[in-house]
Amino acid sequence: MLSIVEIDYGTPKATSKTTVELQVDGKTVRVPQGTSVMRAAAQAGINIPRLCASEMLDAFGSCRLCLVEIEGRKGYPASCTTPVSEGMTVSTQTPRLADLRRGVMELYISDHPLDCLTCPANGHCELQDMAGVVGLREVRYGYEGANHVYAKTPAGEANPRFVAKDESNPYFTFDPSKCIACSRCVRACDEVQGTFALTIQGRGFDSKVAASQDNRFLDSECVSCGACVQACPTATLSEKSLIDKGQAEHSVVTTCAYCGVGCSFRAEMKGEDIVRMVPNKDGQANHGHSCVKGRFAIGYASHPERITTPMIRAKISDPWKVVGWDEAFAHVASEFKRLQAAYGRQAVGGITSSRCTNEETYLVQKLVRAGFGNNNVDTCARVCHSPTGYGLKSTLGESAGTQDFDSIEQTDVVLVIGANPTDAHPVFGSQMKQRLRAGARLIVIDPRRIDLVRSPHIQADYHLKLKPGTNVAVLDALAHVIVTEGLVDEAFVSARCEPEAFAKWRAFVAQDKYSPEAMEAETGVPADLVRGAARLYATGGNAAIYYGLGVTEHAQGSTAVMGIANLAMATGNIGREGVGVNPMRGQNNVQGSCDMGSFPHEFPGYRHVSDVATRALFEKAWGVPLLGEPGLRIPNMFEAALDGSFRGLYIEGEDIAQSDPDTQHVTAALSAMECIVVQDLFLNETAKYAHVFLPGSSFLEKDGTFTNAERRVSRVRKVMAPKAGYADWEITQKLAQAMGYPMHYSDASEILDEIARLTPTFHGMSFDKIDQLGSVQWPCNEEHPNGTPVMHVDEFVRGKGRFMLTEYVPTSEKVNAEHPLILTTGRILSQYNVGAQTRRTANVMWHDEDRLEIHPHDAEERGINENDWVGIRSRSGDTVLRAMISERMQPGVVYTTFHFPGSGANVITTENSDWATNCPEYKVTAVQVTRVNQPSDWQKRFHAFSDQQQDLLEQAQSADTLGPA
Amino acid sequence: MNIERLVTMANDIATYFTVEPDHAVAVEGVRDHLTKFWDPVMRRQLKAYLEQGGEGLVPLAREGVEKLILPPIAGN
């Protein structure tokens, strides 16, 4: 079912610049060439009856309802498949057309149940609407004959054509008795999502929709994106929430709080209750598509484990005490002041998160810099994309991706390195697959055979299956081929880049030691594949690089990012549509949290704290002196906590005890602090070490903005009251007030206004501007009043592009006899990061535990069978997971996801980090894997500690129910 | 803070700049990186460690650390 507020124009928008004029029912319409008659009519406000058409899908011409008459043409062409032509005269309503349509509808309804009043689609059923539109009054064929509607024949026998409802998917049902075989679901799965899980099985009257080989939906290849549910014109595919609650009565546009794609959604509401989330057709990042998380996995927001009252305790072995907000704020303020008085101004700090809105992040760093009086503020981008900030700033001059997502429509060669878009950025992954099916070539650089390497109608031209930790070696080998085979875009480089830096780089990568042949033993990638990939990237037309945490989360993360930027500059693949360097941001607001000045060394807009003019600007605006020296990064905070100089930490929306590397080191640091304040939805792993819990609000409960991977700033809109009473920015503000630093925003928009005043790339940004344009890509200022889809067009932000030297330095994390395998980590489609949200939804039906993926060869050597418990030991620690034997792995490399805290993936990861930013080297850990029959000691301790913390929480809650003592 | 950790981190930075052919640029690269991204407490600790011998620091890291200009200790 479509959104309750969207208008569907029937066929996709044509893009031609040439326009054509025609007459529809006497009205003159001018439309782009290639527009269908159906869409042209819709633009003139004339709705031609239809069932199989939707503007999300290519025209299909199967339902025979949209027939029209065209002057000078024979017969009754389908308006969806007929393009307009100059001077065409179309009639959409004639007595003959009415007869034909009524006849068609009569046939449809003769094989459709008549339970409209109790049907979930009632009120928004397109079949019902069409029956009304054509004036169907009787069905002469009766209902006794062959049909798909009734379980039994009139004689009481089983109806062979009847198929019972499939309720296997946790979020939607499939009721074949209501199916009209319009193929919209099948086409949505193919064209939009690109999974090809659905098909029309059988022919003629036997035709029916089937998932995979006639499986239940849950058992099929279906990835539960919901595109089919959205496309279905009847109740055949219906959200279970719609079945339970009935039709929504209003709809609010907001932005998804999951990954960095930042899909725009319509929250379709009944009062303050969400009936369904429908991706916004006008959403500029997602164009009406979504994944299983954004559309369906929102149940966490109303999960019973949400904590809705502030709590405090003196020691983490004490039960929590439920307190009022004022007491909580006063307590934090007095503790932080006490710690600063006793241990110095630097003894406290704050951590913000990529899950927070821009406004929240901005306030946290403002509280730390202006209220705490130090620069000890960091964000979780430290552990994901900090190398992107450093690497792109050094080379191109701005810490951000260069393109919008739609740029890929102009791309000829897609290079994906260290990213797995179909799992981690699924909606953009679908757009990428659309472009690949349309003919773009594909290079994948990844240790694993990710789905993109070979999926329906897609086959990578090159898969460079490198050994983990050798990204820089491969990037240098690619550069070597480009330089030594004369594939450099000399004109671009001489016009746009610093000549000395380029000359130095050219000589550097041209060295024999960087040839693919010389690097082969190190990278494990055959030299001819590297040469082929380099030639394709350099000469295949518009080439665009998409990269993710498989690039950044390495000891050489920043070097690899610079290596990527070097390749793009050397081949002239930057500064226009279709090309560029595109970091796939993990969480919804990674870009925004970085933009908002949450790193300890820079103010909003990536301006160093030592910059006198910038500091003066902020000092004037914030009314206090500010420090000109960088503060502590997250891993520095841990070290400082362990040496006793760092004692108090305010953490908003981040779960460092699960997400940061070397868990036992992190928890030791947390245990060493005196006042840890966690602001979150749930008692997450970090909160188990906290002394104050401030209940936060979900993205549905507050106003603000998120900035996605393409620098697109979109609105988050409050659709229900905050469950704990305050939006997160209000909590930070009240905390600042309690600390004695004045903040007086009455609305989140005022915070963005302040950001815009103080940040040159945001000067033109406001809630009003975003409301007006739908979303805005920064820079948005005097020169770019409507934002900037493509950056570095005529010159780089830093002026001339700067090539950086990228020597390959093997990681110190090496395999040896004791730890002979390399562990690398990643995500899965159905779960999100630490899983705090998705684990509290039915998404666990797809993934309810983290598994260790291991190649059959490595498994056999160790006597490991599928599902066996295996111990994974590194020099940091050990844990136990169940094995999953998979040929996606290469021998010598094992893999796991990190969505469940008890898995202890980060117990194993080490303290190694990127040289420039301290981004952890999550992707390379030397391990040994053995068969075991019990959990690890860490897991036993973890479970005992978690049980204890759960008890302490329950004691607080029962005390609260009993009332104050 | 754990000095071994600081030494490793400083060495990692120096290792990146080792490839720079102009030695003065390489030394300045290390110094500038430490100044821009390290809290003064860490810089001060590492410089003090160097002054006591600086065992474990690679040559380029030593040179970069030696050139560090430390800000006055921030008041409470």
Side-chain angles (χ1 to χ4, degrees):
Chain A
M1 198 179 88
L2 298 173
S3 155
I4 58 168
V5 292
E6 281 180 357
I7 295 165
D8 189 325
Y9 288 89
T11 62
K13 195 174 186 174
T15 51
S16 174
K17 298 253 186 307
T18 316
T19 58
V20 170
E21 194 171 277
L22 67 156
Q23 296 275 318
V24 183
D25 294 346
K27 285 190 185 172
T28 304
V29 199
R30 181 163 279 282
V31 293
Q33 199 164 40
T35 302
S36 70
V37 169
M38 176 182 280
R39 192 176 174 104
Q43 252 174 263
I46 296 163
N47 292 318
I48 301 175
R50 61 164 188 261
L51 282 170
C52 73
S54 163
E55 72 169 286
M56 293 286 290
L57 307 169
D58 289 341
F60 197 54
S62 84
C63 74
R64 314 313 296 169
L65 264 192
C66 74
L67 311 180
V68 291
E69 291 184 54
I70 298 173
E71 209 172 277
R73 295 201 193 177
K74 283 187 189 161
Y76 308 94
S79 62
C80 63
T81 52
T82 307
V84 293
S85 61
E86 189 60 44
M88 191 181 244
T89 305
V90 180
S91 300
T92 73
Q93 300 290 352
T94 67
R96 182 65 191 135
L97 290 172
D99 271 353
L100 287 169
R101 288 177 185 149
R102 207 174 292 121
V104 169
M105 279 310 294
E106 193 173 357
L107 283 165
Y108 273 121
I109 300 302
S110 72
D111 190 24
H112 192 84
L114 298 177
D115 61 351
C116 292
L117 288 179
T118 54
C119 176
N122 190 14
H124 283 284
C125 173
E126 292 179 52
L127 188 69
Q128 193 182 39
D129 292 350
M130 289 307 111
V133 160
V134 304
L136 183 69
R137 297 292 171 256
E138 59 170 340
V139 176
R140 291 163 295 172
Y141 308 108
Y143 293 92
E144 294 76 29
N147 68 75
H148 301 83
V149 179
Y150 304 105
K152 297 228 160 108
T153 64
E157 287 157 13
N159 175 0
R161 287 196 175 82
F162 176 81
V163 179
K165 207 182 207 180
D166 174 359
E167 296 182 299
S168 62
N169 182 294
Y171 299 117
F172 62 85
T173 64
F174 173 54
D175 183 354
S177 73
K178 293 181 190 283
C179 179
I180 59 169
C182 66
S183 291
R184 271 162 65 165
C185 55
V186 177
R187 288 146 59 211
C189 192
D190 296 357
E191 295 171 22
V192 179
Q193 166 57 27
T195 295
F196 294 78
L198 303 182
T199 190
I200 297 279
Q201 181 175 297
R203 306 182 68 164
F205 194 66
D206 288 332
S207 301
K208 63 167 193 171
V209 170
S212 292
Q213 277 69 51
D214 219 358
N215 298 110
R216 297 191 315 162
F217 264 74
L218 192 66
D219 306 329
S220 73
E221 289 140 314
C222 165
V223 294
S224 197
C225 71
C228 56
V229 180
Q230 187 178 336
C232 182
T234 70
T236 309
L237 286 156
S238 287
E239 292 97 342
K240 287 183 177 173
S241 58
L242 174 73
I243 296 173
D244 287 347
K245 297 177 181 178
Q247 297 292 348
E249 41 76 21
H250 75 278
S251 180
V252 182
V253 174
T254 190
T255 304
C256 180
Y258 282 117
C259 78
V261 177
C263 294
S264 175
F265 273 91
R266 296 184 189 275
E268 310 234 301
M269 311 288 302
K270 267 186 134 112
E272 290 202 326
D273 192 18
I274 296 184
V275 175
R276 54 205 280 261
M277 296 290 276
V278 186
N280 178 5
K281 188 158 60 74
D282 300 324
Q284 289 136 318
N286 59 317
H287 307 292
H289 189 40
S290 77
C291 77
V292 60
K293 295 190 286 289
R295 189 193 301 260
F296 293 127
I298 53 161
Y300 70 88
S302 50
H303 195 277
E305 285 171 12
R306 275 283 297 272
I307 298 174
T308 54
T309 48
M311 304 186 299
I312 61 175
R313 59 182 175 179
K315 300 195 300 291
I316 66 166
S317 52
D318 289 347
W320 285 102
K321 180 185 162 203
V322 171
V323 295
W325 277 107
D326 288 344
E327 186 178 343
F329 293 131
H331 178 76
V332 176
S334 110
E335 279 295 281
F336 277 26
K337 281 182 186 168
R338 176 180 70 79
L339 292 172
Q340 287 191 301
Y343 302 100
R345 191 154 52 135
Q346 311 294 326
V348 300
I351 297 178
T352 169
S353 166
S354 305
R355 290 187 214 168
C356 300
T357 63
N358 288 319
E359 293 71 17
E360 289 157 6
T361 303
Y362 175 85
L363 279 206
V364 170
Q365 62 90 35
K366 179 173 176 179
L367 168 66
V368 171
R369 296 186 203 282
F372 297 175
N374 63 44
N375 285 327
N376 293 335
V377 62
D378 208 352
T379 180
C380 59
R382 172 67 52 215
V383 301
C384 73
H385 264 291
S386 51
T388 289
Y390 182 84
L392 297 185
K393 182 105 179 168
S394 310
T395 47
L396 312 179
E398 192 59 278
S399 303
T402 63
Q403 312 295 119
D404 60 355
F405 289 140
D406 285 351
S407 161
I408 201 169
E409 303 301 335
Q410 310 301 323
T411 299
D412 302 306
V413 179
V414 176
L415 191 163
V416 178
I417 172 168
N420 184 10
T422 54
D423 276 284
H425 303 90
V427 170
F428 178 66
S430 287
Q431 188 177 11
M432 183 182 278
K433 290 202 287 184
Q434 286 170 17
R435 181 65 200 133
L436 293 168
R437 290 197 302 276
R441 312 280 299 274
L442 174 64
I443 301 165
V444 173
I445 306 178
D446 201 291
R448 289 193 313 147
R449 196 187 68 222
I450 56 171
D451 286 349
L452 204 55
V453 171
R454 189 175 161 83
S455 71
H457 304 285
I458 293 167
Q459 167 88 56
D461 295 85
Y462 294 95
H463 177 202
L464 311 186
K465 207 168 179 177
L466 77 179
K467 290 182 192 162
T470 64
N471 285 331
V472 172
V474 169
L475 290 164
D476 284 345
L478 291 167
H480 177 91
V481 176
I482 288 166
V483 162
T484 57
E485 294 191 5
L487 306 177
V488 170
D489 183 341
E490 302 284 354
F492 180 89
V493 170
S494 65
R496 301 280 309 268
C497 302
E498 286 181 3
E500 307 79 35
F502 173 69
K504 218 189 258 184
W505 176 79
R506 166 178 268 182
F508 167 77
V509 295
Q511 297 172 86
D512 284 345
K513 66 174 182 174
Y514 288 122
S515 73
E517 291 73 18
M519 278 292 171
E520 187 171 322
E522 193 64 31
T523 63
V525 184
D528 59 326
L529 291 186
V530 176
R531 288 197 179 270
R535 290 170 194 147
L536 177 59
Y537 174 74
T539 64
N542 284 342
I545 301 178
Y546 294 88
Y547 74 91
L549 305 182
V551 163
T552 55
E553 289 175 345
H554 285 274
Q556 281 203 289
S558 293
T559 316
V561 172
M562 294 189 284
I564 285 169
N566 288 342
L567 285 183
M569 289 189 291
T571 54
N573 276 312
I574 202 146
R576 61 177 191 278
E577 264 200 283
V579 299
V581 173
N582 303 276
M584 303 306 299
R585 306 290 190 158
Q587 303 195 64
N588 49 327
N589 203 32
V590 177
Q591 182 70 54
S593 74
C594 297
D595 300 342
M596 292 301 112
S598 48
F599 286 138
H601 66 280
E602 60 197 8
F603 289 118
Y606 304 100
R607 289 165 294 169
H608 200 272
V609 290
S610 64
D611 181 75
V612 175
T614 304
R615 201 163 69 247
L617 178 74
F618 281 94
E619 285 177 338
K620 184 157 178 260
W622 295 350
V624 287
L626 298 169
L627 285 188
E629 291 285 346
L632 298 169
R633 295 171 170 177
I634 292 172
N636 308 149
M637 292 178 189
F638 298 152
E639 294 292 331
L642 289 168
D643 80 10
S645 60
F646 191 73
R647 298 285 179 145
L649 183 57
Y650 169 46
I651 306 170
E652 181 170 331
E654 179 58 4
D655 193 2
I656 48 181
Q658 188 182 342
S659 65
D660 283 37
D662 199 356
T663 306
Q664 297 178 91
H665 184 74
V666 175
T667 53
L670 291 173
S671 307
M673 284 188 246
E674 289 182 41
C675 184
I676 293 177
V677 182
V678 168
Q679 182 172 325
D680 213 294
L681 303 180
F682 302 103
L683 193 81
N684 63 16
E685 299 312 307
T686 311
K688 292 171 185 167
Y689 292 87
H691 308 88
V692 179
F693 187 92
L694 303 175
S697 46
S698 79
F699 77 113
L700 300 165
E701 298 160 24
K702 59 197 178 191
D703 285 310
T705 55
F706 288 150
T707 307
N708 76 353
E710 31 158 27
R711 295 170 277 107
R712 185 181 302 286
V713 185
S714 303
R715 276 297 312 278
V716 175
R717 290 187 178 85
K718 179 174 161 179
V719 297
M720 58 180 73
K723 291 202 184 309
Y726 288 124
D728 290 274
W729 64 265
E730 293 175 290
I731 298 172
T732 307
Q733 166 160 301
K734 296 232 172 227
L735 192 54
Q737 288 166 352
M739 292 281 300
Y741 179 76
M743 283 191 193
H744 301 288
Y745 306 98
S746 56
D747 186 276
S749 66
E750 293 173 10
I751 306 174
L752 184 62
D753 292 344
E754 179 175 315
I755 296 164
R757 273 199 305 281
L758 296 170
T759 314
T761 45
F762 274 68
H763 275 341
M765 204 72 82
S766 66
F767 276 25
D768 283 348
K769 172 65 75 67
I770 299 168
D771 289 347
Q772 202 185 325
L773 299 175
S775 63
V776 184
Q777 287 177 272
W778 69 260
C780 170
N781 46 29
E782 297 74 12
E783 297 103 275
H784 308 280
N786 292 333
T788 313
V790 177
M791 291 186 83
H792 313 293
V793 172
D794 296 316
E795 62 168 7
F796 287 101
V797 170
R798 68 185 305 281
K800 297 267 186 190
R802 180 165 60 149
F803 283 84
M804 297 291 285
L805 301 184
T806 54
E807 175 148 75
Y808 168 60
V809 180
T811 167
S812 59
E813 187 68 14
K814 291 189 195 322
V815 294
N816 54 26
E818 200 184 343
H819 300 121
L821 301 172
I822 289 286
L823 170 76
T824 187
T825 60
R827 300 179 200 182
I828 199 161
L829 171 68
S830 54
Q831 296 285 349
Y832 181 66
N833 280 17
V834 295
Q837 293 141 291
T838 45
R839 280 186 278 116
R840 291 180 171 93
T841 69
N843 278 27
V844 291
M845 291 182 77
W846 286 276
H847 184 83
D848 61 358
E849 66 176 301
D850 296 318
R851 300 280 207 107
L852 185 82
E853 278 189 54
I854 182 167
H855 188 272
H857 174 79
D858 292 328
E860 195 186 340
E861 244 182 11
R862 290 166 174 76
I864 294 167
N865 295 308
E866 183 83 6
N867 295 332
D868 278 354
W869 290 102
V870 291
I872 306 125
R873 176 180 297 277
S874 75
R875 62 186 168 85
S876 280
D878 62 317
T879 195
V880 171
L881 298 171
R882 281 201 299 151
M884 179 198 241
I885 295 170
S886 159
E887 295 205 4
R888 281 153 59 108
M889 303 311 300
Q890 49 177 294
V893 180
V894 293
Y895 171 86
T896 188
T897 48
F898 48 80
H899 303 301
F900 289 81
S903 302
N906 281 324
V907 175
I908 311 168
T909 52
T910 68
E911 79 287 359
N912 280 14
S913 66
D914 173 47
W915 67 269
T917 66
N918 288 141
C919 180
E921 189 183 36
Y922 286 116
K923 302 295 185 188
V924 185
T925 310
V927 296
Q928 176 58 294
V929 175
T930 46
R931 258 185 80 172
V932 295
N933 48 27
Q934 59 171 340
S936 73
D937 289 344
W938 176 83
Q939 281 167 317
K940 287 178 198 162
R941 288 198 305 277
F942 169 83
H943 287 298
F945 179 69
S946 287
D947 289 349
Q948 180 207 2
Q949 289 300 321
Q950 196 56 41
D951 281 350
L952 298 174
L953 175 67
E954 277 158 24
Q955 286 174 36
Q957 284 168 339
S958 55
D960 184 40
T961 333
L962 295 173
Chain B
M1 289 188 204
N2 180 345
I3 189 70
E4 283 153 33
R5 189 76 203 116
L6 295 186
V7 168
T8 306
M9 282 158 51
N11 285 346
D12 286 349
I13 294 165
T15 304
Y16 171 76
F17 288 100
T18 304
V19 68
E20 170 59 50
D22 183 334
H23 186 69
V25 173
V27 174
E28 173 54 20
V30 175
R31 191 205 64 80
D32 180 61
H33 195 94
L34 291 170
T35 307
K36 273 201 181 127
F37 300 107
W38 280 32
D39 182 281
V41 174
M42 295 159 62
R43 275 142 54 196
R44 200 171 291 123
Q45 196 183 340
L46 191 61
K47 190 159 184 185
Y49 177 75
L50 176 69
E51 281 156 9
Q52 289 155 19
E55 198 193 331
L57 281 169
V58 300
L60 188 59
R62 300 178 81 91
E63 288 182 73
V65 174
E66 203 175 343
K67 291 217 158 51
L68 281 177
I69 300 159
L70 298 172
I73 293 173
N76 289 342

